[in-house]
Structure formats: C-alpha cells, structure tokens
Amino acid sequence: MSEHRRKPPQPQGGGRAAARRGQSGSSSGRRAAPRGATGSPSDSYGSGFYGLGSEERSPGGRAEARRAAQGGRRRAAEPTGGRRGGLSGPPGRGRGRPAPGSKRLIDYPRAHKFGWRRWVPSWKLVTGLFVGFVGSLVAVAGIGYAMVGIPKVDETAEAQNNVYYWKDGSQMVASGGETNRQIIPLAEIPEAMRYAVISQENKTFYQDSGIDPKGIARAVFNMARGGQTQGGSTITQQYVKNAMLNDQSQTISRKFKEIFVAIKVGAEEDKDDIIAGYLNSSYYGRNAYGIQAAARAYFDKDAIKLNPGECAFLAAMLKGATYYDPAGATSIDTSATPQANQRRAFRQMQDTLNKMVEYNHLDPVERAKYTKLPAWKNPRSNTQLSGQIGYLVDLANSYVITHSKETGITEDKLRRGGYSIYTTFDKNKVKELETAVTKVRKANIKPKERPKTDTHVQFGGASVNPATGAIEAIYGGEDATKHFTNNADQTGAQVGSTFKPFVLAAAMTWGVRNPELGSSQAQDERTIVSPKSLFSGKNKLKIKDYDGSIWKNEKGEEWLQTNDGQASYGSPPKFKIDLREAMRESVNSAFVQLGMDVGLDKVKEAAVSAGVKEGTLAGTTFPSFSIGISDPSAIRMAGAYATFAASGKQRDPYSVERVTSKDGEIYKHKADTRQAFTSKVADNVTDVLKTVVEKGTGTAAQLDGREVAGKTGTTDGNKSAWFVGYTPQLSTAISMFRYPDDETLKNRTFLEMFGTGGQEKIHGASFPAEIWHDYMDEAMKDLPVERFPAPEPIGKVLNEDPAPTPTPSASETEESSPSPSPSPSETEPEPSPSPSETCTNFFDCGDTTGGANSGGTDGGTGEISPSPTPTETDGNSRGNSNGNGGGFFGGGTG
C-alpha cells in the first residue's frame, strides 16, 4: 500500500485512557515528545490493528507508557535551577545532593530535604550514634575491668616511719609516720560504728555496686575543667583508695582506675569484708589508723566498747581530723582551734546520729542519750613520745608542713612517712631545761598542800641561738602524753614588762615626735632618745599624747597609769627618772608615756621587726600596749631578744635543718638574715637590759663570770610571769601561768597566782628567773665566755632638768612617807592590763567590759578616770580567737 493511502496515526494506547493522558500531558505545559523520543511504543500502528506493513512494536505496552508519562509529569513539576535560588545542575537535582539511586553510609546532611530540614538528623542517625557510643563505653569498661586486678591490701597500706634526729646527728625517735594500726575482725567493730559511717557517707552501701555514677560524673567533670577535685566516692571506693592504691593523686586516670577496682571489689568481695576493711584502714587523726587505734587514741578503750555517741564522733574524724579533733590543730591551720574544732565535731556527730535514726539504724530513745561531745582524751599512741619528745616532734612536723612550699611535704605525705628529719634540738639543752623546771616545780608547787593556789600551774620555755635562729631547746609541759598543749608555743599568756625593750628600741630608732609640729610634720621631725632621757616615774600618771594633750579614750575618759605597788619613782613634784633606771626597776608610767611620745605604731613596728608575730599583738592603739598586754610565745620572745643579742640582726626561729628521703636530700634550711635594728640601737638596748640583771629586778638570773641581759615581766591579776634573757650565744624565755589542763572544760580562763608556791605574789624575778638561771648555768658550761659589744653613744638626753633621783618616793596622792625602793623578790613594777583587752586563740574570753582593772591595777597598770573601758578599736588588738594567733610556725604564732 502506498504511503498516502495510510490512515492518520492514532493516539498512543488508544481510547479514553489515551485521551486522559493527552489531557494530562497538555496540562503540564509541555509539548508532547515525538514518537520514539520518549521510549513509548512504536510510532506505527500498522502491525497492531491491521498487522500490515508496520514496524515491530516495542515491549512493555501500556504499563511502560504510563510510567513514562508519570516521569514526565514529575520532571515538569520540579522547579528549574533558576527557581531554586540559583542552584545549578540538571533539572530536579539540588547542588550537593546525591544523584538518584545513590546511597551514603551516613545520610547527613539529609538528601531529598530542603532548607533547615536538611540539617536535622534523622531518628535513625541519632539512634545509631547513641548505640555506638554506649557500645564503645561498654567495650572500654569491659577492657578496663578485665585488665585491673584487686591489689593486696597489706602491700600498699603499710606506711613507713619518719626518723627524727638531734642536732648532733644521733637518732631522737622513729615516729610520726608509722602505721599505728591494729586490724580487728568485723565482730569486734560495733554495729553502731558501721552504721554511723554508712549513714553519713554511703546510705546505699549494702545495695550499690560499689560506685556512685552521679558522684563520679560530677568529680570527673570538675577535674576535667580544672576545678576543685571531688571524691564522689562510695565506701567501697574510699576503701580501695585508702588500702589498695599507692597513687593518691586526684587525676582522671587514677579516678578511672579507682572506679574499675571498686567495681571489681564490689562484685567479688563481701560487703561486710569491705566495711571492715574500710574502718580498719582509714585515718582518724592523731596518727591512728583503723578503728581500734582511734578508739585508743581518743577514748583509751577498745573499739568493741564504743557507744553510739563515740562511734558518731569517730565517724566525724574521718572527714579530716585537722578540723574535727577537739584538741585543735593550730600548728597546721590557725583556724583549727580547739573551740572551732569542737563545734564542728559536735555538729557532725549530731548530724550522724540523726541520720542513723532516720535510716532505722538507731533507736530514738538510745539516740537521745548523746547530746554532748563524749569525754575524749589526749593520749599519744607512741610511748616514745613521752616527756619532751612529743613536743619536739610536733614542732618539727609543724615546721615541715607549714613550709611545704620549700620542703615539698604536705601533711598527707608526712603521715605516710619515709623521711629523715634532722632537727636543731640540742639533746643536752632539752634535758637541762626540763631538769631546771622540774626542780623548781617539785620544790615549790604542792597542789595537795595548797589546792586553791598550786593547781593548774604551767611552765613553758624556749632557747634560740642568736647567731642562726635555731631553736635549741624547748619545754612544752610535764609530759607530751599527758599535757597536750605545747607551752613553748602559743598559749595566750601575756608577756607583761618583757615588752618594754621594744619601746626603748623604737625610741632609739625613730625617736619621739616634736609636740610643736602638726601630726604629719611630727612624723618627720623626730628626736632620737638617749637612755639617759628623763621621764616621769609618778604613780597614777596622766598619760599625754605626744602633743601634750591628755590622752582620752573614745568615751572621753582619761588614762591614769599606775606602777606596781602603787610606788612613784623620782623626786617630787615631777618624779623624773631616766630610762635606764626605769627599765631596771620596771617603771610602767615612764614607758607608757615614752610609747605615746614615740607613737604606738612605731612600738608595734619595733616588736614585729624584732621577730614578734603581728597576730599576737593586742591593744595596739591603747597606752597599755607598751607594757605587754600581747601574748607572743616563749619561742618568739626568745627569738626577739636574740635579735638584740645579735646586734640587731633578726633571724626567724626554726626547728628543722634538713630533710632527706630515699630520693636524697629534699630540703635544707637557708639562713634569712635581715637588719632589724642598727647595731648602735641593739647594743644600747642590751646595755640597758644588763643593768636589770646586775642590780635591778632580774638579779636572780646572774651567771658567774658571764654577762647577762634580760627583763622580768608580770601581768595584771598576777596571771602570768616571765623572764627573758640572753648571753651573746643563747637567748632563753621562761613563762609561768595557771591554766586548767582539761580541754573539755568550757570557758577556761587564766587563774591568779597570789599565794602560788607559798609566795605572796609571783613575779618574773621569782620562779621564772630561777629556772632561767639554773638552766643557763648548765647550758653555757661548755661555751666560751663572750662579752656584749660596747654600745656607742646614741640620741639626745630629753627632759634633763631636774636631774633624776633613783630613790622612789610617795606621790602626791599617796601617803606622805616615801615608798622604799622595791626589791626584786617582793614587788616588781611591771604588770599589764587585764585580759579584758585580749583573748587568746586557745581559750574563750571572759568579761571584756573593762572596769577598774582595765589596763591593769595591782601590776602597775593603767586606770581610766572616771570609769576605764578601753575597747578594742584597733584591728590588731585581738584576732587570736578566730585563728589569727595560730601555732609557732603558722600565721600569727608565738
């Protein structure tokens, strides 16, 4: 058949379906593609209907045609590149999207999503990542758990001794670092002790797996970001750390090791064994490891006999005995006073008992019995620490710890032991000082015969080498295993007139202010004072400010300074006396006025320059400051006088020469010398103090063939007495006071010493000077005789007319008959104000309202007219009650 006789081609597929497809196709806005261009069936229908002269039909039929038509509609519906914000590429594909049919391992950013939806991960992706993360953790934990083992307790819990040596290199004692522990079985540990610790530390102990995930996460997070380390530990973890791990550092790696070991211990060991191991290995303070040693250290009984209150008390010690031991630890931290520690321990103990009741571990009726701290004791676990040895070890330990920046030894490291500590203590001098005190005590102090006056009598003493600052001897008390407080260190006993040399040193260093100039100019226009200068020795002297105005306190009350025995010195009407005579007879009025003329700020500066710790100075804005209302320790007073002995060269007292360990020498003391005073000033102070011993109140301290300089001191109410003196080679301070030795008593105060030892009144010239003499006579035997440097003339003689009269006479307000010159054994004009102006860091304050005794009365102290009430307006007048006083080597210590 010819071409022109063929029928016109019909729509593909034919019929209504074809029509619908055609309409749909036309509605898409596109022209129909020519036959053969779209993959549709053959353009010719010849073979379809007639079967003649047509091309062969493509396979697929109608189904293929429908698919092709639908694909065309989808492509037509997709926006072009220009309508998709400029995305280039073939129609229907965005930039960066995979080609149709391609697949990615992680569909992110998400394909076939647009805008912000592309960046939202699918739930499949989130789930997959979480599962992967958890799986990784499980794998790491599994590997860690498999790799760690349970360490042997005995190999890692043993601590070594610290060995202490005398100055001559011989061994003093092996102590301080040994493990004072006696392992006892669970049956001998009271149930109350177990539940006290569980209730306070880990209430889910018997149910948990050995770790606290929340606590661990918190600890790891804080350590990772460099914050304060935290334990986050269960009892099992603490047991592992205390008894199984040598490495006690707070690092993430060690923490993970602790966790894995704790999990393994929790899974493989019985809970009762863990709690027993924890209580047997923990440190309770006082060098006591384990509950048995702790029971002995605090209560002198076996652990099995502890009651619930004592158990709750010991549970508090596990939090850190430095801040919970009721005996205090001011040598380590000045805030750890007995009072503060007792308050902390009581609160913690009560909280533990309450929790035991809350968790049904203690009957409420039984709990009600324990509302006070138990009657704790102060025994030392090592009998080698008896006598003075315990005080010496404590002093050396305090020095090592408080100088940790130089020594590198913390309290924890020292406790673990392994150190050889070479001290400055002279074995013979320590023995001789103890012998001298014991001799006087046995001969004079008889508490059974005189219970009202001879009980609670305490002595303290210290010797310092002026050339080095080395502490060569101390006397801390009768026995370190019976009397816990070191009397050579900070005690709170006021020093009285032994403070006067600092006033004289200030007058010869800075001089008195010019009363004709204003206050600012007067600081610059000063006159250096000669020891020959004259000042009033009148009793009840009205104290003046440097400008001549009568000194008044903030209430407008005048200060009347009294002398000991109410005696006036010098000839009436002005009662002038030179400073050498005033020092020799310890005339208060002269030195109080001198201090005001120089300026109390300069007096304070002189004392600090000499070596007194600023934190022990009291009432620095009151006239009585010049006559010793402060309370430096015997160690610091001996060190300050050593500055005068060394012609003004000041060296801080120290007790440790060097420290070694298995790694060799780790610390060696380096001398730090500074010129506190010129040699002219220091040598003149020494020359004046020589007259005190030669023919003044200190004659009892004379040594045959040797020059001695020194000063006596007695305080208001006769509550403490001192003698501090020195030769060119050794400076020694001796103190005496009455103070209850029972630390459990509340509101302890210093007691008067009228009648003590059978004497009407205790002066520095009596027992303290006697002890000083007996000790120094022995201590100096093997030393060559040396003389003090001859002093150069210094200063200007003030108030020359009239000439001084050494014989004291009655004042205008006293009896008309002259007062005799007081002998050293009877009266000594050198008291200081009452404790109303000062409280110690060890003890509670009594009445601080002032009164007639403010500034002192019977000791030659200040009176305020009409009613004396000097208050502590100066910030330095007393800071010791909150820890500023501290121990010897801590902040603000003796």
Side-chain angles (χ1 to χ4, degrees):
M1 184 179 294
S2 63
E3 185 69 24
H4 68 272
R5 294 186 64 183
R6 289 182 181 175
K7 291 183 179 180
Q10 299 296 319
Q12 182 179 345
R16 295 178 180 176
R20 286 194 299 271
R21 285 193 297 272
Q23 292 169 2
S24 175
S26 62
S27 67
S28 68
R30 291 190 180 190
R31 294 180 60 188
R35 257 189 212 108
T38 64
S40 60
S42 177
D43 293 347
S44 174
Y45 289 92
S47 62
F49 182 77
Y50 298 102
L52 299 173
S54 63
E55 299 175 0
E56 186 178 355
R57 186 169 181 166
S58 301
R62 294 181 179 180
E64 182 66 26
R66 282 196 299 271
R67 285 193 294 272
Q70 292 169 358
R73 286 196 299 272
R74 284 195 300 270
R75 287 192 296 273
E78 291 180 355
T80 65
R83 284 174 290 187
R84 294 189 60 197
L87 292 174
S88 62
R93 290 181 59 187
R95 183 171 54 191
R97 295 179 63 189
S102 67
K103 293 185 177 181
R104 295 182 294 173
L105 181 61
I106 299 177
D107 184 20
Y108 191 81
R110 298 175 65 185
H112 309 301
K113 297 290 183 181
F114 307 103
W116 61 270
R117 292 181 178 84
R118 294 189 65 203
W119 306 100
V120 178
S122 66
W123 67 269
K124 293 181 180 179
L125 177 61
V126 173
T127 303
L129 291 175
F130 177 75
V131 171
F133 176 72
V134 173
S136 299
L137 289 181
V138 172
V140 171
I143 294 172
Y145 184 82
M147 291 180 64
V148 301
I150 299 179
K152 292 179 65 177
V153 173
D154 290 340
E155 291 180 352
T156 56
E158 292 180 352
Q160 303 176 64
N161 285 340
N162 290 320
V163 182
Y164 299 81
Y165 295 90
W166 293 103
K167 177 183 177 181
D168 62 5
S170 61
Q171 182 173 317
M172 179 197 303
V173 66
S175 179
E178 77 275 21
T179 305
N180 174 30
R181 178 193 292 123
Q182 180 184 352
I183 302 296
I184 57 176
L186 184 68
E188 295 182 21
I189 300 176
E191 189 178 68
M193 187 67 216
R194 287 178 265 161
Y195 283 116
V197 174
I198 290 171
S199 298
Q200 188 61 251
E201 303 288 342
N202 184 190
K203 65 180 180 180
T204 61
F205 169 72
Y206 278 106
Q207 291 80 40
D208 63 38
S209 61
I211 62 170
D212 175 12
K214 291 182 179 179
I216 292 171
R218 181 173 61 253
V220 171
F221 175 75
N222 279 310
M223 286 188 289
R225 71 174 191 168
Q228 184 178 3
T229 58
Q230 295 184 8
S233 300
T234 61
I235 286 176
T236 304
Q237 285 178 262
Q238 293 179 55
Y239 169 56
V240 168
K241 180 176 66 174
N242 292 344
M244 297 182 174
L245 298 182
N246 284 315
D247 181 11
Q248 298 294 312
S249 62
Q250 289 288 342
T251 62
I252 293 179
S253 60
R254 195 214 56 84
K255 194 69 179 178
F256 273 117
K257 182 177 181 181
E258 175 191 310
I259 291 169
F260 290 134
V261 174
I263 293 173
K264 204 154 199 174
V265 169
E268 298 183 13
E269 291 196 11
D270 186 79
K271 288 286 188 178
D272 284 344
D273 293 337
I274 293 173
I275 190 66
Y278 172 67
L279 293 174
N280 274 317
S281 63
S282 296
Y283 182 64
Y284 297 79
R286 301 190 184 182
N287 199 40
Y289 290 82
I291 185 61
Q292 175 65 14
R296 280 292 174 187
Y298 288 92
F299 304 114
D300 197 22
K301 63 170 67 173
D302 291 328
I304 197 171
K305 297 180 180 179
L306 296 172
N307 62 45
E310 293 166 339
C311 291
F313 171 91
L314 291 178
M317 298 304 107
L318 293 173
K319 299 182 72 66
T322 295
Y323 301 100
Y324 289 90
D325 187 337
T330 51
S331 61
I332 297 174
D333 189 332
T334 56
S335 66
T337 63
Q339 293 85 357
N341 281 14
Q342 288 168 26
R343 288 192 296 268
R344 283 188 283 261
F346 176 75
R347 287 195 299 265
Q348 186 69 18
M349 169 189 164
Q350 296 301 305
D351 182 64
T352 298
L353 290 169
N354 291 338
K355 288 181 177 177
M356 292 172 70
V357 173
E358 179 183 351
Y359 303 141
N360 298 317
H361 299 316
L362 182 65
D363 183 77
V365 176
E366 179 70 12
R367 185 262 177 272
K369 298 177 181 178
Y370 310 107
T371 57
K372 296 181 181 179
L373 279 178
W376 47 275
K377 300 180 182 299
N378 278 315
R380 306 230 178 199
S381 60
N382 192 334
T383 56
Q384 291 180 298
L385 299 177
S386 61
Q388 300 304 304
I389 301 300
Y391 302 124
L392 298 174
V393 169
D394 282 350
L395 202 60
N397 287 345
S398 296
Y399 184 88
V400 168
I401 293 171
T402 55
H403 289 74
S404 59
K405 289 184 178 180
E406 293 86 14
T407 64
I409 302 174
T410 63
E411 182 183 7
D412 181 66
K413 289 181 179 179
L414 185 66
R415 174 161 39 90
R416 287 157 60 189
Y419 298 103
S420 294
I421 300 174
Y422 295 83
T423 73
T424 61
F425 306 131
D426 185 302
K427 183 193 309 181
N428 294 329
K429 288 185 175 66
V430 170
K431 182 179 180 181
E432 288 156 359
L433 181 54
E434 184 177 27
T435 299
V437 175
T438 302
K439 175 185 173 183
V440 169
R441 176 184 289 277
K442 287 185 176 180
N444 300 282
I445 309 302
K446 304 181 184 301
K448 292 183 179 179
E449 295 180 15
R450 297 183 288 266
K452 292 184 179 180
T453 60
D454 285 19
T455 54
H456 310 305
V457 176
Q458 303 288 339
F459 293 93
S463 278
V464 173
N465 188 323
T468 63
I471 304 171
E472 297 196 348
I474 65 167
Y475 180 83
E478 288 187 76
D479 191 327
T481 64
K482 299 175 182 178
H483 174 69
F484 195 70
T485 302
N486 185 350
N487 292 344
D489 208 342
Q490 190 70 23
T491 62
Q494 295 179 350
V495 297
S497 289
T498 59
F499 201 79
K500 288 174 182 174
F502 305 131
V503 183
L504 182 60
M508 292 192 293
T509 299
W510 292 283
V512 298
R513 293 170 289 188
N514 189 336
E516 298 178 358
L517 300 176
S519 59
S520 59
Q521 289 181 289
Q523 294 293 335
D524 300 324
E525 299 289 335
R526 290 173 172 267
T527 302
I528 300 300
V529 176
S530 165
K532 297 179 181 179
S533 296
L534 304 176
F535 283 81
S536 176
K538 181 181 178 181
N539 184 52
K540 294 185 178 180
L541 177 69
K542 285 187 178 183
I543 299 301
K544 299 179 181 180
D545 210 336
Y546 79 96
D547 60 2
S549 61
I550 302 298
W551 189 91
K552 298 179 181 180
N553 65 6
E554 70 281 0
K555 295 182 179 180
E557 299 164 333
E558 296 179 349
W559 187 282
L560 301 178
Q561 183 60 53
T562 62
N563 293 324
D564 187 38
Q566 303 294 314
S568 290
Y569 291 80
S571 300
K574 294 186 178 181
F575 300 97
K576 292 289 184 70
I577 184 172
D578 69 39
L579 292 178
R580 183 182 298 274
E581 180 82 3
M583 184 74 77
R584 189 181 76 194
E585 300 301 333
S586 202
V587 180
N588 287 338
S589 56
F591 278 95
V592 169
Q593 186 59 63
L594 176 62
M596 297 299 292
D597 292 348
V598 173
L600 298 181
D601 59 330
K602 295 302 183 184
V603 175
K604 173 183 175 182
E605 188 174 343
V608 172
S609 296
V612 174
K613 286 293 185 179
E614 186 173 353
T616 62
L617 299 178
T620 57
T621 60
F622 285 90
S624 57
F625 174 64
S626 295
I627 52 174
I629 61 175
S630 301
D631 57 6
S633 71
I635 291 172
R636 283 290 169 177
M637 287 301 290
Y641 273 49
T643 301
F644 298 128
S647 293
K649 293 182 176 65
Q650 193 273 331
R651 303 172 179 91
D652 274 343
Y654 70 100
S655 59
V656 175
E657 288 284 0
R658 62 190 182 98
V659 181
T660 64
S661 70
K662 60 181 179 62
D663 300 320
E665 186 173 88
I666 60 178
Y667 170 76
K668 186 173 183 178
H669 174 75
K670 295 180 181 179
D672 183 14
T673 302
R674 63 186 185 86
Q675 195 73 37
F677 308 106
T678 65
S679 58
K680 181 184 290 189
V681 170
D683 293 344
N684 270 279
V685 171
T686 295
D687 191 59
V688 171
L689 294 180
K690 282 174 56 180
T691 64
V692 175
V693 177
E694 290 170 355
K695 50 184 177 180
T697 59
T699 54
Q702 293 176 356
L703 299 177
D704 291 341
R706 292 185 183 272
E707 289 188 330
V708 175
K711 185 70 186 75
T712 54
T714 304
T715 59
D716 178 52
N718 203 211
K719 294 179 180 178
S720 61
W722 290 72
F723 184 82
V724 186
Y726 54 94
T727 65
Q729 300 108 311
L730 195 63
S731 176
T732 299
I734 302 296
S735 65
M736 178 180 176
F737 53 92
R738 289 184 66 209
Y739 192 78
D741 198 28
D742 187 352
E743 289 89 346
T744 63
L745 296 177
K746 293 184 179 180
N747 301 320
R748 290 184 297 162
T749 59
F750 285 91
L751 305 175
E752 294 179 343
M753 293 190 292
F754 297 109
T756 298
Q759 297 195 6
E760 182 180 348
K761 182 179 181 181
I762 299 296
H763 292 87
S766 55
F767 297 144
E770 183 180 346
I771 291 171
W772 190 97
H773 169 271
D774 292 351
Y775 161 65
M776 290 290 284
D777 194 41
E778 291 294 323
M780 300 296 297
K781 272 186 177 180
D782 297 329
L783 298 176
V785 175
E786 293 185 12
R787 300 183 67 84
F788 292 116
E792 300 179 24
I794 191 172
K796 179 180 179 181
V797 178
L798 304 180
N799 310 316
E800 284 190 272
D801 187 31
T805 302
T807 303
S809 60
S811 68
E812 296 175 327
T813 58
E814 299 171 10
E815 298 179 3
S816 58
S817 59
S819 301
S821 179
S823 67
S825 61
E826 296 176 355
T827 60
E828 178 191 358
E830 48 175 331
S832 63
S834 70
S836 63
E837 286 197 50
T838 178
C839 306
T840 74
N841 65 324
F842 270 76
F843 323 119
D844 294 330
C845 301
D847 181 14
T848 59
T849 57
N853 288 339
S854 295
T857 53
D858 60 270
T861 58
E863 294 182 359
I864 297 180
S865 176
S867 57
T869 56
T871 58
E872 298 177 4
T873 57
D874 177 32
N876 288 323
S877 61
R878 183 76 274 145
N880 290 357
S881 61
N882 63 2
N884 293 339
F888 163 53
F889 292 110
T893 59

